Amino acid sequence: MVMKVDYQWNRVVQRSLTNLNVLIVNGKDVGFIYKPTDTRTDRNAWRIHRGLGSDAEFLGHAWRQTDAKRMLEDVFVGVCR
């Protein structure tokens, strides 16, 4: 039996976390990725988190947004490609 999983990404505009993208699976917010603003001397990677708010757990870094999204999708949706 194959269970259908519906997921989508939603970009959230905030002042505190720029470039914030939230993963929604079956209508529930399950995790997010964000990229801090680059400075003149530092280039930042995308941060990947499972959960939201104070319960968020850091999973890792990715240099490209598509890689960060795939990593979080693999945790909740599974390998579907």
Side-chain angles (χ1 to χ4, degrees):
M1 181 172 148
V2 177
M3 187 173 164
K4 181 169 171 41
V5 177
D6 180 37
Y7 69 95
Q8 65 180 0
W9 285 94
N10 185 20
R11 183 179 169 127
V12 178
V13 178
Q14 277 190 331
R15 287 186 180 181
S16 60
L17 291 178
T18 57
N19 298 319
L20 177 65
N21 294 280
V22 177
L23 177 62
I24 302 168
V25 176
N26 293 332
K28 185 176 178 184
D29 298 344
V30 294
F32 65 95
I33 63 170
Y34 79 98
K35 182 179 184 294
T37 306
D38 292 337
T39 65
R40 184 174 57 85
T41 58
D42 294 323
R43 182 170 175 244
N44 292 303
W46 287 88
R47 271 72 164 166
I48 304 155
H49 292 268
R50 178 173 62 185
L52 297 174
S54 61
D55 296 332
E57 178 184 357
F58 177 73
L59 296 177
H61 292 95
W63 285 108
R64 296 183 336 162
Q65 181 182 17
T66 54
D67 293 338
K69 285 183 175 183
R70 284 184 181 156
M71 182 186 283
L72 194 58
E73 288 171 6
D74 287 347
V75 170
F76 289 103
V77 180
V79 181
C80 57
R81 289 166 191 60

